[in-house]
Amino acid sequence: MSLRIIATGGTFDKHYDELTGKLGFSDSHMPAVLARTRMTIKVELELLPLLDSLDMHDADRARVLASCRAAPEKAIVIVHGTDTMKETAAVLGEVALGKTIVLTGAMIPYEIANSDALFNLGFASGVAQTLPAGVYVAMNGQVFAWDNVTKNRAAGVFQPL
Amino acid sequence: MSLRIIATGGTFDKHYDELTGKLGFSDSHMPAVLARTRMTIKVELELLPLLDSLDMHDADRARVLASCRAAPEKAIVIVHGTDTMKETAAVLGEVALGKTIVLTGAMIPYEIANSDALFNLGFASGVAQTLPAGVYVAMNGQVFAWDNVTKNRAAGVFQPL
Amino acid sequence: MSLRIIATGGTFDKHYDELTGKLGFSDSHMPAVLARTRMTIKVELELLPLLDSLDMHDADRARVLASCRAAPEKAIVIVHGTDTMKETAAVLGEVALGKTIVLTGAMIPYEIANSDALFNLGFASGVAQTLPAGVYVAMNGQVFAWDNVTKNRAAGVFQPL
Amino acid sequence: MSLRIIATGGTFDKHYDELTGKLGFSDSHMPAVLARTRMTIKVELELLPLLDSLDMHDADRARVLASCRAAPEKAIVIVHGTDTMKETAAVLGEVALGKTIVLTGAMIPYEIANSDALFNLGFASGVAQTLPAGVYVAMNGQVFAWDNVTKNRAAGVFQPL
C-alpha cells in the first residue's frame, strides 16, 4: 500500500506570524506532521500552493485534479480548507479517476492547542486505504460521499445534505 | 454509524506523576481526547482498568473480550499498550464476533510532545468504520490482520510476520 | 511576598475561534496558566476587559492605573498587548505609586506552538518581586525602564530608545 | 547584561524514549527552549552532562562550581534536578564567587503537557539579573536563599526550612 498526501493549505496548515499577528501560510507543517505519524507505508507528500480555501479559484481546483490524475498511488488524502472542501470534492467527484480520494482538513490549525488536525489526518489516511475508489470528505470522524456533504458553519461541523 | 472506544491504558494514556517522577496512570485522557476529535457520530467510551500492557493477564484480556461481545456497536476501537497488543488481538481474533474490532495505541503518550496518539486514534476510528468484520491492529498508518502482526521492538514499529 | 497579576488581554491571551477562523478573546487563559506555574506565593488574579492593545483607549489605561492604585500588593505584573505596552507603561510611570509594576506580554499567543508567553510571565513574576518600586517593561528576557523602551515592529523585539 | 545558562539535566530536560518507554536524557532541549524565549540579551548556554539529580555525586557538583567560577558572566542560571538542588546550591553558596547564581528546574519535563519548565526558566532568568550576588533557588515563583530552602517531596513544592 502506498499513499499520496496532497497539501493545499487550509486551516490545518495555517501559521501564526508573530510580526503581523495574523494567521497565514509559511512553510508547510506537513513534513513534521508526517514524521510524527510514524507511518511505515510508502507516503508521498505533494505540496501545492498553500491557500485559504476561500481564496481557491477554478484554476486551483484544476491543479488539485491534475495532481490526483497524475498520481501513481491508488489512495490519496487531500489536506484542504474546510470552507470550500465540498467544491473541490465536486470537481474531483465528477471525474472517474479509479482512485480513492479523501479530502480532510481541520477546524483548528495544527499548531494551535486542541487542534483536530492530527486526528483528521489519521482518520483520512485510514479510510483512504480501505474505501472503494471514489471521492470522499472525511471530517468529524465521519466519511461523507462527495455529493452528500456540507459544512454547517454555525455549528462548525460537517453533515450530510 | 456508531463507534465504541474501549480504553485499556497503554502508553497512549500514561500520565506523568510529578510527585514520583514516573509515568503511570491517573484519570484517563480519553474524555478530553474525544472532545478534541470533534466526532459527530455516536461514540460510546468504555473505560476498563488502565494497565501497562506488560501487566495484562489472561483475566484482563478476557474482560476486553467480554466488553467487545457485549457491545451493541458493530465498530470498536480498543486503545491498548503496544507490547502485548497482538496477544489481546489473538484472544479477540479467535472468536467470531461479527464486529469490526481495531486495536491501536501509541509509541509516545498523548500528553508528551510529538505523540502519535491522536493520529493513531483517528486512523483506527476510520478503518473501524470501513473494514469488514474481523479483528485488526492499526499502527504506523497501516492495518494488520490480527494473526499477521508483530511489534519490532528494536525499531519501535509494527510489521507483518 | 504577594503578587497581583492584572490581565488585560493582548496577544498573550488570544484565542482561536474555530467558527470564525479568527484570533480574538474568549475566557482568559490566565487561571489555567497560573495553576500551571505552581506558584506558592499568594497570587491575586485580576481580569480586566481583554483587549487587543491596538484597541486600548485612554479610559482603558486609566482603568489599569486605577487597578494598580487600588492594589494592596507591592508587586504587580500586567499582562498586556505588545503594540501599545509602552503607552500604558507611560501612564503608570508618570504616577509614583510606590509599587513595582512590570508589564509583559507575548509575541505568540499562549495557546499557539512555540509561544513565549509562559517564559515572559515567569520573567516578569520574578523581577516584580526583586526590582525597586517603579514601572518597567519586561520582554525578551530583558528589563526596560518605562521611559526607555520601544517595540521594534520589524524585528518583533523590544529595545531601548 | 549577559546571562550564562548551565544545563545539568534534571526533570526539566528529560526525554521520553519511545523504544524503552522510559524517561531519560537525549539531546538537551535547551537550544530549542532558548530560541523560544526570544531573549535579546547575550545568553551563553553551557551544557554539562545531563543527569537525574539523584545521580549527582560530589564530582558532578564540583564541575558545576568550576563552571560558575570560570564564567565571565555575573548572572548565572543553573537548570538542575529538584531532588538535590539544595545540595548543589550549598556547594556553590559556601564559596563567595561574587556572582548571582540562581538554580531552577521543573516538576514536569519541558516536553510533557502542563510543564512548569518554561515559567521557571523565565523566573530564574529574571531574578538572576536583578538579585545581588549570592546563590539562590528559584522555584514555585519564589526566591529562596541557598541555605534556607527544602523540597517538600510529599507536596511537590519548595519551601523555606
Side-chain angles (χ1 to χ4, degrees):
Chain A
M1 174 64 68
S2 65
L3 179 68
R4 175 165 298 249
I5 295 182
I6 300 175
T8 73
T11 295
F12 189 118
D13 222 350
K14 284 205 175 163
H15 171 68
Y16 183 78
D17 181 328
E18 66 190 89
L19 296 185
T20 63
K22 300 211 180 311
L23 288 161
F25 296 104
S26 175
D27 293 337
S28 174
H29 296 84
M30 291 304 300
V33 170
L34 292 181
R36 179 172 177 179
T37 67
R38 293 159 176 78
M39 282 197 272
T40 44
I41 56 169
K42 186 168 178 297
V43 177
E44 191 71 30
L45 173 62
E46 179 175 352
L47 293 175
L48 294 185
L50 302 181
L51 296 171
D52 187 311
S53 77
L54 292 173
D55 297 330
M56 271 200 167
H57 300 110
D58 288 354
D60 301 303
R61 297 187 214 285
R63 186 171 46 215
V64 176
L65 173 59
S67 289
C68 289
R69 197 189 296 273
E73 295 84 5
K74 291 292 184 194
I76 300 175
V77 169
I78 301 172
V79 176
H80 197 284
T82 59
D83 281 323
T84 69
M85 194 182 284
K86 73 170 183 175
E87 282 80 351
T88 302
V91 168
L92 303 174
E94 282 156 9
V95 184
L97 292 178
K99 299 171 184 177
T100 303
I101 301 174
V102 181
L103 293 95
T104 194
M107 290 303 293
I108 306 249
Y110 175 71
E111 70 173 34
I112 299 188
N114 205 28
S115 173
D116 53 336
L118 204 58
F119 176 86
N120 292 347
L121 182 66
F123 189 93
S125 297
V127 299
Q129 296 179 48
T130 51
L131 286 168
V135 176
Y136 308 89
V137 164
M139 288 292 291
N140 300 111
Q142 202 166 351
V143 176
F144 301 92
W146 67 268
D147 56 357
N148 188 21
V149 62
T150 190
K151 181 180 172 186
N152 178 333
R153 285 193 174 73
V157 295
F158 282 72
Q159 55 193 40
L161 294 176
Chain B
M1 174 61 67
S2 65
L3 179 67
R4 175 164 298 248
I5 296 182
I6 300 175
T8 72
T11 295
F12 189 116
D13 221 351
K14 284 208 173 160
H15 172 67
Y16 183 79
D17 182 327
E18 66 190 89
L19 296 185
T20 62
K22 300 213 180 306
L23 288 161
F25 296 104
S26 176
D27 294 337
S28 173
H29 296 84
M30 292 303 301
V33 170
L34 292 181
R36 178 171 176 179
T37 66
R38 294 161 175 76
M39 281 197 273
T40 45
I41 56 169
K42 186 167 176 300
V43 177
E44 192 70 30
L45 173 62
E46 179 176 351
L47 293 176
L48 294 185
L50 303 181
L51 297 169
D52 186 311
S53 77
L54 292 173
D55 297 330
M56 271 200 166
H57 300 111
D58 289 353
D60 301 304
R61 297 187 214 286
R63 187 170 46 216
V64 176
L65 173 58
S67 289
C68 289
R69 197 188 297 273
E73 296 84 5
K74 291 292 185 194
I76 300 175
V77 169
I78 301 172
V79 176
H80 197 284
T82 58
D83 281 322
T84 69
M85 193 181 285
K86 73 172 183 173
E87 282 79 353
T88 301
V91 168
L92 303 173
E94 281 156 9
V95 184
L97 292 178
K99 300 172 184 176
T100 303
I101 301 175
V102 181
L103 294 96
T104 194
M107 291 303 293
I108 306 246
Y110 175 70
E111 69 173 34
I112 298 188
N114 205 29
S115 173
D116 53 336
L118 204 58
F119 177 85
N120 292 347
L121 182 66
F123 189 92
S125 297
V127 299
Q129 296 179 48
T130 50
L131 285 168
V135 176
Y136 309 89
V137 165
M139 287 291 292
N140 300 111
Q142 202 165 350
V143 176
F144 301 92
W146 66 268
D147 56 358
N148 189 20
V149 62
T150 190
K151 180 179 171 186
N152 178 334
R153 284 193 174 74
V157 297
F158 282 71
Q159 56 192 40
L161 294 175
Chain C
M1 174 62 69
S2 66
L3 179 67
R4 175 164 297 250
I5 296 183
I6 300 175
T8 72
T11 295
F12 188 116
D13 221 351
K14 285 208 173 158
H15 172 67
Y16 183 78
D17 180 328
E18 65 191 87
L19 297 185
T20 62
K22 299 209 181 309
L23 288 161
F25 296 104
S26 176
D27 293 337
S28 173
H29 296 84
M30 292 303 300
V33 170
L34 292 181
R36 178 172 177 180
T37 66
R38 294 159 175 78
M39 282 199 271
T40 45
I41 56 169
K42 187 169 177 297
V43 177
E44 192 70 30
L45 173 62
E46 178 175 352
L47 294 175
L48 295 184
L50 303 181
L51 296 170
D52 186 312
S53 78
L54 292 174
D55 297 329
M56 272 200 167
H57 300 111
D58 288 354
D60 301 304
R61 297 187 214 285
R63 187 170 46 215
V64 176
L65 172 59
S67 288
C68 289
R69 197 189 297 273
E73 295 84 5
K74 291 293 184 192
I76 300 175
V77 169
I78 300 172
V79 176
H80 197 285
T82 58
D83 281 323
T84 69
M85 193 182 286
K86 71 171 185 172
E87 282 80 352
T88 302
V91 168
L92 303 173
E94 281 155 8
V95 184
L97 292 178
K99 299 171 184 176
T100 303
I101 301 174
V102 181
L103 294 95
T104 194
M107 291 303 293
I108 306 247
Y110 175 70
E111 69 173 34
I112 299 188
N114 205 28
S115 172
D116 53 337
L118 204 58
F119 177 86
N120 292 347
L121 182 66
F123 189 94
S125 297
V127 299
Q129 296 179 48
T130 50
L131 286 168
V135 175
Y136 309 88
V137 164
M139 288 291 292
N140 299 111
Q142 202 167 352
V143 177
F144 302 92
W146 66 268
D147 56 357
N148 188 21
V149 61
T150 190
K151 180 179 171 186
N152 178 334
R153 284 193 174 74
V157 295
F158 283 72
Q159 56 191 41
L161 295 175
Chain D
M1 175 62 68
S2 66
L3 179 67
R4 174 164 298 247
I5 295 182
I6 300 175
T8 73
T11 295
F12 189 117
D13 221 350
K14 284 208 174 160
H15 171 67
Y16 183 79
D17 181 329
E18 67 190 87
L19 296 185
T20 63
K22 300 209 181 310
L23 288 161
F25 296 104
S26 176
D27 293 338
S28 174
H29 296 85
M30 292 304 301
V33 169
L34 292 181
R36 179 172 175 179
T37 67
R38 293 159 175 79
M39 282 198 272
T40 44
I41 57 170
K42 187 169 176 298
V43 177
E44 191 70 30
L45 173 63
E46 179 175 351
L47 293 175
L48 295 184
L50 303 181
L51 296 170
D52 186 311
S53 77
L54 292 173
D55 296 330
M56 271 200 167
H57 299 110
D58 289 354
D60 301 303
R61 298 187 214 286
R63 187 170 45 217
V64 176
L65 172 59
S67 288
C68 289
R69 199 189 296 274
E73 296 84 5
K74 290 293 185 193
I76 300 175
V77 169
I78 300 172
V79 176
H80 197 285
T82 58
D83 281 323
T84 69
M85 194 182 285
K86 73 171 182 173
E87 282 80 352
T88 302
V91 168
L92 304 174
E94 281 155 9
V95 184
L97 292 178
K99 299 171 184 177
T100 303
I101 301 175
V102 181
L103 293 95
T104 194
M107 290 302 294
I108 306 248
Y110 175 70
E111 70 174 32
I112 298 189
N114 206 29
S115 172
D116 53 335
L118 204 57
F119 176 85
N120 292 348
L121 182 66
F123 189 94
S125 298
V127 299
Q129 296 179 48
T130 51
L131 286 168
V135 176
Y136 308 88
V137 164
M139 287 292 291
N140 299 110
Q142 202 166 351
V143 177
F144 302 92
W146 66 268
D147 56 357
N148 188 21
V149 63
T150 190
K151 180 179 172 186
N152 178 333
R153 284 193 175 73
V157 296
F158 282 71
Q159 56 192 40
L161 294 176

